[in-house]
Amino acid sequence: MGISRSIIFSHPERLLTEQEAEVFFKKIDLRCTGFPVAYITETKEFYGRDFFVNPAVLIPKPDTEILVQRGIEIISKKLQTKENVKLVDLCTGSGCVGISVWKELEAAFNPRRLQFFSTDISDDALAVAKKNCSFHQCDIQFLLCDLLQSEELVDLDGIISNPPYVPEKIATELLEDGRSEPFLALNGDCNGTVDGTGLIARLLPQGFAALKLGGFILLETGEYNAETTAQLMEENGFVDIRIHADLSGMLRVVEGWKPHEL
């Protein structure tokens, strides 16, 4: 109905109009098909902020907040020693990761010191991210491209990404419950892989080439393939590799660094 919960509680005498009741029960019927509440209300809270969502993007999950938290920690340290920092949020989807990082850094540093990009291969996803960016008043440049395939994405200080990493078979099974999240944003398999690491394997050599010496990469990979991702990072030249667990203790985010000297 477009009103807050507090108003509902403070006005228990208020009755629904016929039109409101019709809309409400249509949404109940939609929920019974498995369609998520977040898509029905077109909003989802993440890292203390509300984000617009629709079936063009994944619904933000609390598990991803560890990716944001670690990104903020690393970038904050870089801003203490560097005048400017150039970053990219790959596979941005709703934009919740990049926007959350940007807003937290804005509160502590001059945002003009950040050159922040967000990318996605989906036009529809970028439309959602841009809407969220405008709502939260961030200075982020959006690029429609496949991973790092843009001439602007060079000499980066950091890469943050929640890329597709679910094995194709599991992604297909997950969507059988009617949740309607985009298969493109879940399925991490390509080039013949079956463990969800195909896209990550494509990304890592690109990431190593695009990063400055001493730059970092943070990837959410989940319990499916965090250890495999760490191994792939090592094979691609990254050092100081760490795996971070989420609040439930599941392996969630893999961190790697390009050496200061090659």
Side-chain angles (χ1 to χ4, degrees):
M1 292 186 294
I3 62 176
S4 69
R5 184 175 300 212
S6 60
I7 291 177
I8 293 175
F9 285 134
S10 61
H11 296 278
E13 75 285 355
R14 184 187 188 283
L15 299 178
L16 295 181
T17 66
E18 269 190 44
Q19 184 179 10
E20 286 173 337
E22 182 181 356
V23 170
F24 177 77
F25 284 107
K26 281 184 178 178
K27 291 183 176 181
I28 292 296
D29 290 341
L30 190 58
R31 180 70 189 107
C32 287
T33 68
F35 202 64
V37 171
Y39 287 157
I40 295 172
T41 63
E42 295 190 326
T43 186
K44 181 66 177 179
E45 187 272 338
F46 179 81
Y47 217 82
R49 297 177 179 86
D50 287 334
F51 289 87
F52 168 75
V53 293
N54 65 25
V57 300
L58 292 180
I59 298 169
K61 310 292 192 297
D63 293 339
T64 302
E65 294 192 354
I66 185 67
L67 177 67
V68 172
Q69 181 181 333
R70 183 58 183 153
I72 293 166
E73 291 171 354
I74 294 174
I75 299 163
S76 295
K77 289 182 180 178
K78 281 188 171 290
L79 285 168
Q80 291 169 10
T81 59
K82 291 173 62 71
E83 181 61 29
N84 299 293
V85 173
K86 185 177 182 181
L87 307 160
V88 64
D89 165 32
L90 293 180
C91 309
T92 192
S94 67
C96 66
V97 170
I99 290 168
S100 297
V101 170
W102 196 95
K103 292 298 290 185
E104 294 299 315
L105 293 171
E106 177 196 30
F109 301 94
N110 182 344
R112 292 181 180 177
R113 298 173 61 195
L114 296 172
Q115 187 179 9
F116 211 118
F117 295 89
S118 286
T119 78
D120 207 286
I121 199 171
S122 165
D123 253 330
D124 292 337
L126 280 182
V128 174
K130 289 175 182 178
K131 182 172 182 175
N132 283 317
C133 182
S134 177
F135 178 78
H136 290 291
Q137 298 182 314
C138 300
D139 184 11
I140 295 174
Q141 300 178 59
F142 291 92
L143 300 172
L144 177 68
C145 63
D146 183 6
L147 298 179
L148 288 155
Q149 299 301 304
S150 169
E151 59 184 17
E152 298 191 64
L153 299 178
V154 294
D155 296 326
L156 299 170
D157 292 288
I159 298 168
I160 301 173
S161 183
N162 178 11
Y165 60 77
V166 180
E168 182 176 6
K169 183 174 184 294
I170 296 176
T172 301
E173 293 170 352
L174 285 173
L175 295 177
E176 290 175 354
D177 64 3
R179 67 181 65 190
S180 300
E181 291 188 286
F183 182 73
L184 178 68
L186 289 170
N187 175 35
D189 281 323
C190 59
N191 301 324
T193 59
V194 294
D195 61 354
T197 62
L199 188 131
I200 291 171
R202 283 185 55 221
L203 165 59
L204 288 174
Q206 293 181 29
F208 192 86
L211 285 168
K212 294 177 182 176
L213 295 175
F216 72 92
I217 187 168
L218 282 175
L219 297 180
E220 176 171 336
T221 63
E223 70 276 15
Y224 300 109
N225 47 38
E227 292 174 333
T228 303
T229 299
Q231 181 180 342
L232 287 170
M233 280 192 184
E234 184 175 4
E235 292 172 1
N236 280 277
F238 289 95
V239 297
D240 298 328
I241 298 164
R242 300 169 59 187
I243 301 178
H244 302 275
D246 59 28
L247 293 176
S248 61
M250 303 298 289
L251 301 180
R252 180 64 51 188
V253 172
V254 186
E255 170 185 332
W257 294 77
K258 188 169 181 174
H260 287 278
E261 295 181 359
L262 292 179

